[in-house]
Structures are given as structure tokens and as C-alpha cells.
Amino acid sequence: MDAFEAIKATFFQECDELLADLEAKLMLLEQGQTDLETINAVFRAVHSVKGGAGAFGLEALVRFAHVFETLMDELRAGRKPCDAVTIKTLLRASDVLADHIQAAQGLVPPVDEARSAALVAELEVLTHGGEAPPPVMEEDDDFDFTPMAFDMALDEPAAPLDAAPAGWRIVFKPMGRMYANANEAGLLLRELGRLGPTQVRLDDSAVPTLDALSVEEGCLTWTIDLSADVDEAAVREVFDFVESDCDLTITPLGQASDVCADAALVFEDEPAAILPAGDDLDIAALLARATGAVADIAPEAAPAPAPEPAAVPAAMPTATPAASAAAPVTIRVDLDRVDRLINVVGELVIQQAMLSQRVLESGLARSSGIALGMEDLELLTREIQDSVMAIRAQPVKSVFQRMPRLVREVADMVSKQVRLVTAGEDTEVDKTVVERLAEPITHMLRNAIDHGLETPEERVAAGKSAEGTVRLAALHRSGRIVIEISDDGRGINRERVKKIAVDKGLIAPDAALSDEQIDNLIFAPGFSTAAVVSDISGRGVGMDVVKRSIQALGGRISISSVPGKGSTFTLSLPLTLAVMDGMVVTAAEQTLIAPLPAIVESLTPQAVDLHHVGGVDPVIRFRDRFLPLIDVAFVMGFSGTPIDPTGGVAVVVETEGGQQAALLFEAIQGQRQVVIKSLETNYQQVDGVAAATILGDGRVALILDVDVLVADMRRNAARPDLKLAS
């Protein structure tokens, strides 16, 4: 990839961030937060996209962004209301803007011209108040124009500016590339005028004759005196996107040299007087304004001497906010490089474990230099692994930000009033997990709105508010990330679910199912409660896909539902798909890994603490409670006969749902950090096994899925008469 393409790729990465910010701010507008700061944020995002697109010659993107930006400029100037109709149009415009960006990347076909033009027309109607937009001159038109020279020099110096105790003098000279990036000096001058009273001089002494004029060069210099008690940071923010494309000097008025070029035009109060209301410079209007200004210019007074430092007024800013705190320095790194680094660190962990194993087998004393060195290497390896995983960690905000739009669109399709509440957006998880969360969360939110929430009429009749609430939350729990999607709707109609399952042959008519088992029927392939097939649901594809997606990530999903109150779906996922802490255990000569975050305590069973429920199911007394005792080797088929509990080790574990049980092993070998390898990708899914790893001696060990082991045991113990259709 050459340098130009690399810069272009960086631009598109920035566009992804800008689009995410644009979407978030438009959602705030939709929620009624129509303050100037939010509107300005939307304007800046669109303006940045337009500027970068102009640099790369992406004309279709520039044209659309320009119309979008013009409307936002009207909104932030207060000339147009930010009402519901406008916000709805802006939301659709952001979709088309995203499509233009993807088309410019070559990811999708070019945007349909009719669709784009229709939305451009809507934006222009909102911008111009129903009037047709001003005609655009074609560049190829021949005006039979003959270049001629003219001189705007003044015979007398300009009038003095008002002396103000607080304010700034800004000397601003755009470079040619600023215009090439689709930025306009007029908008910047107008933005300065919103900070306070301004006096503006235009120095055109560098402008050549028209026959020698080049559109790729900047010839004008603007001197703006801003009489406003604002800090320098506020002034620099106006030039935030163009500071590298212009010569810019900002000095306090009391310290600035009050020298004014002879060839200057003076305009007072606001730069809007220089420019028409639109974005384009009207040369005829500018010259007419200049002619009127020249007639009124008086001699300029001699500049006052600069005051001593001690004489600077107290109100004068002496330091900018930016100087007090340095901005964080970041770099962009290709994700493939990070992935390779992750893989190398994984191999490093394996090699470190192998070395430790060899040292242990050699019989060296723990106090020997080699053994101590291996301990230091283990600590260093752990630190490297933690640092690398922190690079990959990302907040789930990138997924959550997409969902308000989805909720609004689905609610409109089913004619329901829905409010989305999010929490824990800053919860961090591995980037790979984040990227694969979007699809299952999308399915579940659609189902929550379509199936979970009642219609406004039904909610009012049930004593609820007409507006339903869907909550999307993320949190860390026991070394995992938990995503909860809940609603305050009707809950699961278990009688109807069971009847549908019987009708589809998923269960036998006489099957005795618990509420939990009935709820989990909605994850069966082909199951659907929708009476009519629609664009949202009814085809029997959705929740089974969600379950498979979550299981592929090493996670699990559970349901909690109360009829008439609502339902909660809980997704539990590993924080990373690369490395984990585990306890190495032995069962029937098989070496297994029990996830350390799930382990509560380990103990040696005593005969007095062992009992059987119904003479069959073993339990163990643990802190004045009885816990199920699961012989892992027997349950997983490693051994045909159960082992004597008193000759083994019981490891008390706790599931995501808070259920506890004791897993019975032959022995515990120790604690170790292991590299996770997907068993489903390399072999196939196995019940009770979450993944696999490579031990220090090169052998493969299975990583146990504690939740599945406990759930299967409880299910079989609670419902021995369960009959499923064959």
C-alpha cells in the first residue's frame, strides 16, 4: 500500500469514529437534547467527513455532506428550528452519509442516485424554508470573460479599532489545501462572530491579476479583532479542523501590534456582513461592500505601546486550558498486527509453562537460581499478557450505540412506543467478543419489542404506561462480561409456548417441564410464537441463532420471566478468547482445567459429610448446606464407575446464576494460566467442555464448562421422568 492509500485508509477509519459520534449525538437530539453543543457536535462530524472527502476527490460524498452541513449550520445559527421532522430527516441523512462512505471505500455499490437526490431535496427544503435552492453555475460555462487588473489599495490607512480590555487579535491566512479540503473561510469568520463583537480586515495585497490567479493558492489574509471575554481555547476551537491548513496567529488585544496593512477592507461587528447567508462568496456583493467601507475609512491612530507584564488586566487570559493538561498520544495500529502479537504471547505462555514443567521435573530446589528465574519469567509473562490484552480491550459502547436507532425503527414498524435505557457502556471486553455481540443483541432487542412489549392500548389497559421500556446493560462478574436485555412487557406465555412446542413435535404431549425448561424451548430451531410472518419475526429463525452465536464465543444464555411483568435475557461471555486462569485437575487419568473465576473453595470430602438424596444422588455438606456432588470423570464418560469421594478432592464452584455445586476430582495439580483454543473450530462441540488448551508437557487438556455440568446434573436430578420426542 502506497503512502496515499495508507492516508486514505486512515481517513476511512476516522470516518467510522465520526459516524459513531454522529449517530450518538443524533440520538440525543431525538431525545430532546437540542442544545447548541449537541448541534455543534453533529455539524463538526459532518464537516470533518466533508473535509477529508474533498482531499481525496470523493465528489459524491462531498456533495451530499455539503448539503447536510449547510442544514446543520442553519440549525446551530438558530435560523431553523430543530423540530421532530428535521431530526427524523437528519437520522435518514446519516444513513445515506454512511452509505456514501462505504461506497467510497468500495465495500458496497454506489449509492442509488434517486435515493440520495430525494434526501438532498428534503435537506434543501428544510434549509431554504421551502424555497428552491440557488442555482449552481456549471464550471464549463463560457462567460466570454476577458481578464483585467484592478487595484483595491486604499489612499489612506484604515480607521483604528476599538480598544477593548479583553479580546483577541486573530491573523488568519488560508493555504490552498484548506480550500481543497472543502473548508471555507466565510464559515470560520461567521463562527468567530458568534463569540462576540468583531472587526475584520481583509488584506488582498497578495492577490495577483485575474489572468495570473491560481485557485490552488491562498492569497487573502484576514485580521479579526474579537472583543469578547473568552479564552484562547474557544477561539482555537473555531479553527480546530483547519489549523494545519492555514497560517494562524492568536494574540491578546492588549499585546497585539495594532498595525493594519494599507490595502485593507474594514468591516465591523460581525463577519456575516462580509458574506451572504449561504456558504458561497458573492464577489459582486463583496466588492459593493468594500466600496462602501472604503469611503468611510479614517486615518488609523499610532499603535499604543505594549504594557508591562505586571500591567496586564486580571481578566486577561495568561494560559490556555490546553496547556494545563496534555492530550493523550495515540497511534493507529492495524488489527492484524495486534492479532499476531496476541498469538505470539499465547505461544510465549505455553513455552513458559513448558519450561516451568521441565524445571519442576528436574528436581531443582525452589531456592535455586534457575527456579527463581522461572518465577520471575512467569510474572513477566503475566504482565506482558495483561498489557497485550489491554490493547485489545474495547468498551461495548461501539455496539450499544447502534441499538437506539434499531429500537426506534422496529418500534415504528410495529406501532409501539419504546424507550431504550442503556447502562455499562464503558464495560471493556476483548475486541473479538465486541465485534460478535452485535448480531445476538440485535435479535434479542427485536424480539423484546415485537414479542415482549404490549401495544400502547394493551399496556394502558393493564395499568402500565403506554411507553414500554427495554433495558440493555453490561457489567463484569466473576471474570466474565454479562449482557442483560430486559423489558417490562407481558412476559413469556408458558402455556402457549408449550402448546406450540407440542404442535411442532419438539416435545411429547405428556412431557413434564419446569418453567425454566419451557422458557428454554424458544431457543429450539424452528420455534416461533409469531402468528404472522413479517419483516421482524415469524420465520422460526432468531433465538436459536442467538444461542449458537453465544455458545461459539464460549458463553451461555439464560432467561428469567414473570408473566405480566416482563422478561430478562442474560448473556454471559468470557472477557477474552485468548488466555484464562485455571486450576489443573485430574479425573480418571485425564488432565482437565477448571476456570478459576468459577471456583469458590476446595476441600477433602469426609464420610460424615456425604449423603444421598433418594438413595441415588450424592450430596456433600458445605457450610451448613448440602450441595450436589458431581463425579466429573463418571459424568463425562471417562470412567464407567464412580470414584470413592473420600479418596478424591471436591472443588466447590458457582455458576453465573448463583447456583453452587461440588465437582469431584482425583487430585489438584495446581493453578496455571492457559491459552484458550476453540474445540468447536478444531473438532466439534462437546457438552460440558468450553474449550481446550495445551499444557506445559505438550498434552491437550479440556477446559470444563462449569455451568453446563451443573445445569445438566440439576436437570436430570429434578426431572428423571422427562420425556422428549425422538
Side-chain angles (χ1 to χ4, degrees):
M1 180 184 295
D2 59 27
F4 180 80
E5 289 300 322
I7 297 173
K8 194 173 182 180
T10 301
F11 163 67
F12 285 126
Q13 291 173 0
E14 292 173 348
C15 282
D16 291 339
E17 300 171 3
L18 292 168
L19 287 175
D21 189 53
L22 174 64
E23 182 82 9
K25 295 302 186 290
L26 287 176
M27 290 296 107
L28 293 178
L29 291 179
E30 187 184 35
Q31 296 166 11
Q33 190 172 321
T34 56
D35 56 280
L36 184 59
E37 181 179 350
T38 304
I39 294 175
N40 274 330
V42 175
F43 174 85
R44 286 194 297 268
V46 179
H47 182 71
S48 297
V49 170
K50 172 188 167 185
F56 295 105
L58 306 174
E59 296 181 1
L61 177 55
V62 170
R63 286 195 300 270
F64 186 84
H66 177 75
V67 179
F68 196 156
E69 175 193 50
T70 303
L71 175 56
M72 292 310 306
D73 191 44
E74 293 293 303
L75 294 178
R76 65 182 189 149
R79 290 188 289 269
K80 300 294 178 184
C82 192
D83 52 24
V85 174
T86 301
I87 293 172
K88 191 171 184 179
T89 305
L90 293 176
L91 285 165
R92 290 190 289 114
S94 70
D95 285 343
V96 176
L97 185 69
D99 291 343
H100 274 293
I101 292 173
Q102 287 191 312
Q105 289 179 268
L107 301 178
V108 298
V111 179
D112 180 61
E113 286 293 336
R115 176 190 175 213
S116 183
L119 197 49
V120 164
E122 289 186 49
L123 292 171
E124 289 182 333
V125 167
L126 291 172
T127 302
H128 301 285
E131 300 174 2
V136 178
M137 294 295 187
E138 296 293 338
E139 294 183 357
D140 296 335
D141 286 348
D142 183 7
F143 297 102
D144 193 21
F145 179 73
T146 302
M148 62 176 294
F150 64 93
D151 189 0
M152 295 177 64
L154 305 179
D155 294 332
E156 297 178 332
L161 300 174
D162 296 336
W168 302 91
R169 171 162 294 173
I170 303 105
V171 180
F172 165 54
K173 181 180 180 181
M175 299 178 185
R177 63 174 177 264
M178 193 196 85
Y179 299 112
N181 290 340
N183 294 298
E184 301 172 23
L187 291 177
L188 300 172
L189 297 176
R190 186 180 304 159
E191 191 67 19
L192 281 175
R194 295 194 175 102
L195 297 179
T198 57
Q199 294 178 324
V200 183
R201 302 184 189 90
L202 170 61
D203 181 0
D204 68 331
S205 58
V207 177
T209 57
L210 290 180
D211 58 343
L213 186 65
S214 172
V215 296
E216 297 180 355
E217 297 179 2
C219 305
L220 303 178
T221 300
W222 306 85
T223 300
I224 308 101
D225 281 6
L226 171 64
S227 300
D229 189 9
V230 296
D231 56 32
E232 184 178 345
V235 179
R236 288 196 177 277
E237 186 177 359
V238 174
F239 299 91
D240 191 27
F241 299 108
V242 301
E243 192 162 356
S244 61
D245 297 335
C246 68
D247 290 332
L248 181 66
T249 303
I250 302 175
T251 53
L253 274 181
Q255 298 176 6
S257 175
D258 206 16
V259 177
C260 180
D262 286 341
L265 303 177
V266 178
F267 305 101
E268 297 185 355
D269 295 335
E270 54 178 344
I274 304 173
L275 303 171
D279 287 340
D280 299 326
L281 282 169
D282 184 338
I283 299 299
L286 177 60
L287 292 177
R289 174 62 177 160
T291 303
V294 169
D296 297 332
I297 290 179
E300 186 174 23
E308 296 296 328
V312 176
M316 184 64 66
T318 56
T320 65
S324 61
V329 179
T330 60
I331 61 172
R332 294 183 181 275
V333 180
D334 188 78
L335 185 59
D336 288 340
R337 296 188 180 185
V338 179
D339 288 339
R340 289 198 297 271
L341 181 59
I342 294 285
N343 293 335
V344 171
V345 170
E347 295 301 322
L348 176 63
V349 172
I350 293 174
Q351 292 299 322
Q352 181 270 324
M354 288 183 175
L355 286 173
S356 297
Q357 184 78 16
R358 299 293 185 271
V359 171
L360 183 65
E361 292 172 352
S362 68
L364 290 172
R366 295 184 61 86
S367 59
S368 66
I370 295 179
L372 293 175
M374 288 305 304
E375 291 181 1
D376 292 339
L377 177 61
E378 182 177 358
L379 293 175
L380 182 60
T381 303
R382 168 59 65 92
E383 185 175 351
I384 293 174
Q385 182 264 321
D386 290 342
S387 299
V388 172
M389 295 313 301
I391 295 175
R392 281 272 296 247
Q394 283 193 339
V396 295
K397 181 185 296 185
S398 59
V399 176
F400 280 26
Q401 283 180 336
R402 310 178 201 174
M403 299 307 154
R405 185 66 178 277
L406 170 76
V407 169
R408 182 178 55 80
E409 291 178 349
V410 175
D412 288 343
M413 293 174 67
V414 297
S415 301
K416 294 180 180 179
Q417 300 175 22
V418 185
R419 179 170 63 96
L420 177 66
V421 178
T422 59
E425 292 183 338
D426 294 328
T427 303
E428 290 190 339
V429 68
D430 188 276
K431 178 178 174 59
T432 306
V433 178
V434 171
E435 291 173 345
R436 296 165 67 178
L437 276 176
E439 183 179 358
I441 291 178
T442 297
H443 275 298
M444 298 177 72
L445 285 177
R446 290 164 68 96
N447 275 358
I449 297 170
D450 192 26
H451 298 297
L453 295 180
E454 311 94 332
T455 64
E457 296 77 15
E458 291 172 339
R459 291 181 63 85
V460 172
K464 300 180 180 180
S465 64
E467 182 182 61
T469 300
V470 176
R471 187 173 185 270
L472 176 61
L475 65 151
H476 284 152
R477 182 188 298 163
S478 300
R480 297 172 71 86
I481 182 174
V482 176
I483 307 289
E484 292 183 346
I485 299 98
S486 59
D487 63 76
D488 63 348
R490 58 172 64 93
I492 295 177
N493 186 333
R494 296 190 174 98
E495 292 184 2
R496 183 164 179 249
V497 169
K498 185 176 180 180
K499 181 179 183 304
I500 292 174
V502 171
D503 293 342
K504 290 182 176 291
L506 299 175
I507 60 173
D510 59 344
L513 304 180
S514 65
D515 289 346
E516 178 185 359
Q517 289 172 321
I518 294 175
D519 292 345
N520 280 281
L521 287 173
I522 67 175
F523 295 114
F527 185 89
S528 176
T529 59
V532 179
V533 175
S534 68
D535 292 337
I536 300 176
S537 58
R539 301 185 185 275
V541 179
M543 297 307 290
D544 62 318
V545 175
V546 169
K547 186 174 183 178
R548 287 199 302 271
S549 299
I550 298 303
Q551 288 177 339
L553 290 171
R556 59 191 64 88
I557 183 170
S558 60
I559 309 173
S560 173
S561 182
V562 178
K565 300 294 185 181
S567 304
T568 299
F569 291 79
T570 303
L571 313 180
S572 175
L573 298 151
L575 289 177
T576 174
L577 304 182
V579 182
M580 64 167 285
D581 289 316
M583 182 175 287
V584 185
V585 294
T586 303
E589 299 183 354
Q590 296 291 327
T591 302
L592 306 171
I593 306 294
L596 197 62
I599 296 176
V600 177
E601 190 174 331
S602 60
L603 54 98
T604 301
Q606 303 296 321
V608 68
D609 296 324
L610 298 171
H611 302 274
H612 287 79
V613 177
V616 179
D617 299 317
V619 295
I620 184 172
R621 184 190 296 273
F622 175 72
R623 302 190 186 282
D624 299 326
R625 297 188 296 128
F626 287 100
L627 301 179
L629 184 63
I630 304 172
D631 187 333
V632 175
F634 181 71
V635 169
M636 298 191 69
F638 297 148
S639 173
T641 57
I643 67 171
D644 180 7
T646 58
V649 177
V651 177
V652 179
V653 295
E654 183 172 286
T655 67
E656 292 294 336
Q659 298 174 333
Q660 290 188 343
L663 305 182
L664 184 61
F665 302 103
E666 292 177 355
I668 295 177
Q669 296 184 16
Q671 178 182 332
R672 188 171 302 168
Q673 188 179 46
V674 297
V675 179
I676 301 172
K677 302 291 184 181
S678 172
L679 191 64
E680 186 173 359
T681 300
N682 298 287
Y683 176 59
Q684 67 181 35
Q685 184 178 351
V686 178
D687 288 341
V689 177
T693 189
I694 301 175
L695 298 175
D697 56 6
R699 291 184 300 159
V700 174
L702 301 178
I703 300 174
L704 297 175
D705 191 328
V706 171
D707 281 43
V708 171
L709 288 175
V710 175
D712 286 348
M713 180 279 307
R714 287 182 175 274
R715 187 178 301 114
N716 295 333
R719 299 289 180 177
D721 58 338
L722 179 62
K723 299 178 181 179
L724 297 177
S726 58

